[in-house]
Amino acid sequence: MKSYFLLPIVAAMLVAGCGGGHRDSEPPVTPTTIEGRAIKGVLQDAIVTAFRLDQKGDLADTLATSRTDSEGVYQLILPGANADPVMVVLTADENTKIVCENTDGCTVGTEPRVDFGKTVAAPASLQLRALLPHVKGEAVNAANISVFSDLAANLADDYAKKNKPVDTLNAAQVNSKISDLLQQYAMLGIGDQVLNIRPVDLSDESEVVQAISDGNDSALKIAFVSAAFNEIAQRDYQGHVETALAAIRAVYVANRGELPKRKSTPGTDVSVGQLLEETRRQIDKVGTKYADKGVSFGNINAQIVAKIDEIKEPVVVIVLPVPPNPSVPPTPTPPVLELPELPAPPV
């Protein structure tokens, strides 16, 4: 009899246990990660924030925020996967520094000039972005931030202005366009994507040597092209990084995801030819700086030089008639001999 009285009690305990465990049966949300390096010169102690985008391209929700470390590396921990595009935005404050990536030294705005590898205060208005088509769960999602990831984000802005949805497909497309452009002109390895390539810090000798040893040409190329852009900002924009960024953004968007081959094209401020020429110079300068370490960028340099030759202005040769020299008597025209007409042969 006692066993019968116990059965309802045990059953009630089991039901209570099941009810209390309902929440435990739901799969836990596994955090996921977005990480990468921020470079325009390595960007130290910069603020990095991830936002979910809606299809109009507007920042919908703040997902996570962090800061870059002394090597320009950041990590964002998100609560889980995100099927919508995610915009990673880098901004600067009074603590943010830029490591000079130009062997001739760097000036940023009104800041004093600093040597290669030294830091200079970043302008407070500096902003660079990277657009992820989506965020995978339980994974490390690469989003390396550079001038070139920023160009892709600006093209997405233009899509939104033209009422094209900023969805996963179009977010992937704008990233492919900038990667394809750099690949076309040997500034990125074939098949590589800008977001996935972590650029080398050119001022760090050990990183440069390691990248050469690993055959990581794309990481070196992105770093060299970034340094080339920095030189253009130094020379043509008096070190005003934001003005140089505004110029290349405007040209890239106006040309629907392309850059003109040559600066001589009317209405352009930054061209592929400029980037290639400056990239070649940066390769030479960094190669000279590390020459005693046996560093050589021969293969990369050869590819860049070949592209420079490919897009050079065609040389037009005009042959003008040689005017007569009055001091030289004209060559007499030989007489034409008239031969007598021969009689017709007999029939």
Side-chain angles (χ1 to χ4, degrees):
M1 291 291 294
K2 289 180 181 179
S3 62
Y4 288 104
F5 284 113
L6 286 174
L7 282 175
I9 298 171
V10 173
M13 291 175 65
L14 288 173
V15 170
C18 290
H22 176 68
R23 285 188 297 272
D24 295 337
S25 65
E26 294 177 355
V29 176
T30 305
T32 193
T33 303
I34 300 174
E35 66 178 43
R37 185 177 225 173
I39 190 167
K40 209 230 62 62
V42 166
L43 289 160
Q44 301 177 340
D45 208 5
I47 305 159
V48 183
T49 308
F51 299 92
R52 182 181 68 81
L53 288 189
D54 62 23
Q55 292 213 352
K56 293 180 180 178
D58 294 329
L59 304 180
D61 301 306
T62 302
L63 301 175
T65 189
S66 183
R67 297 188 80 106
T68 60
D69 63 16
S70 62
E71 296 182 347
V73 175
Y74 74 91
Q75 185 180 75
L76 297 169
I77 306 298
L78 278 64
N82 199 306
D84 296 319
V86 170
M87 186 73 81
V88 180
V89 181
L90 177 143
T91 54
D93 63 12
E94 67 277 5
N95 298 313
T96 308
K97 304 290 184 186
I98 300 176
V99 177
C100 178
E101 59 188 349
N102 190 335
T103 54
D104 291 335
C106 301
T107 301
V108 176
T110 58
E111 292 291 320
R113 193 171 188 83
V114 299
D115 293 332
F116 179 62
K118 302 298 183 182
T119 60
V120 61
S125 58
L126 177 65
Q127 178 177 283
L128 291 171
R129 298 180 296 165
L131 177 60
L132 282 163
H134 56 84
V135 173
K136 298 176 183 176
E138 300 183 49
V140 176
N141 297 267
N144 291 288
I145 305 170
S146 66
V147 172
F148 310 106
S149 70
D150 187 76
L151 291 180
N154 275 270
L155 190 58
D157 291 345
D158 189 58
Y159 280 14
K161 290 176 184 175
K162 294 173 179 174
N163 296 319
K164 292 178 70 174
V166 184
D167 54 15
T168 296
L169 182 62
N170 284 330
Q173 185 185 69
V174 295
N175 282 301
S176 292
K177 283 186 79 70
I178 186 60
S179 297
D180 291 346
L181 176 67
L182 294 177
Q183 289 173 34
Q184 181 182 353
Y185 294 105
M187 293 184 276
L188 184 67
I190 299 299
D192 287 334
Q193 293 291 311
V194 165
L195 286 183
N196 296 336
I197 300 300
R198 181 173 292 195
V200 167
D201 176 4
L202 292 176
S203 70
D204 187 325
E205 179 187 297
S206 62
E207 277 197 42
V208 172
V209 171
Q210 188 63 53
I212 293 172
S213 175
D214 295 342
N216 195 354
D217 284 1
S218 282
L220 288 163
K221 286 180 174 182
I222 287 289
F224 280 128
V225 183
S226 178
F229 178 77
N230 182 48
E231 175 58 26
I232 292 170
Q234 299 293 311
R235 186 190 63 227
D236 297 349
Y237 298 92
Q238 295 73 53
H240 292 286
V241 177
E242 320 95 293
T243 310
L245 282 168
I248 194 171
R249 287 165 181 156
V251 174
Y252 185 74
V253 170
N255 286 276
R256 293 174 290 182
E258 298 287 341
L259 289 174
K261 289 184 181 180
R262 293 176 286 273
K263 188 178 174 63
S264 58
T265 305
T268 65
D269 291 305
V270 183
S271 68
V272 169
Q274 274 184 294
L275 283 173
L276 286 172
E277 288 284 1
E278 288 301 337
T279 298
R280 181 186 60 77
R281 279 192 273 272
Q282 293 300 319
I283 291 170
D284 288 345
K285 290 174 183 177
V286 176
T288 300
K289 189 167 186 65
Y290 296 141
D292 60 334
K293 304 298 179 183
V295 168
S296 172
F297 306 109
N299 184 47
I300 296 175
N301 189 61
Q303 293 173 24
I304 295 296
V305 169
K307 291 299 178 180
I308 291 172
D309 291 340
E310 184 181 303
I311 67 169
K312 276 182 179 175
E313 292 275 13
V315 178
V316 178
V317 179
I318 301 175
V319 180
L320 298 175
V322 179
N325 189 340
S327 65
V328 178
T331 304
T333 305
V336 179
L337 299 177
E338 294 185 5
L339 298 176
E341 188 176 342
L342 296 178
V347 179

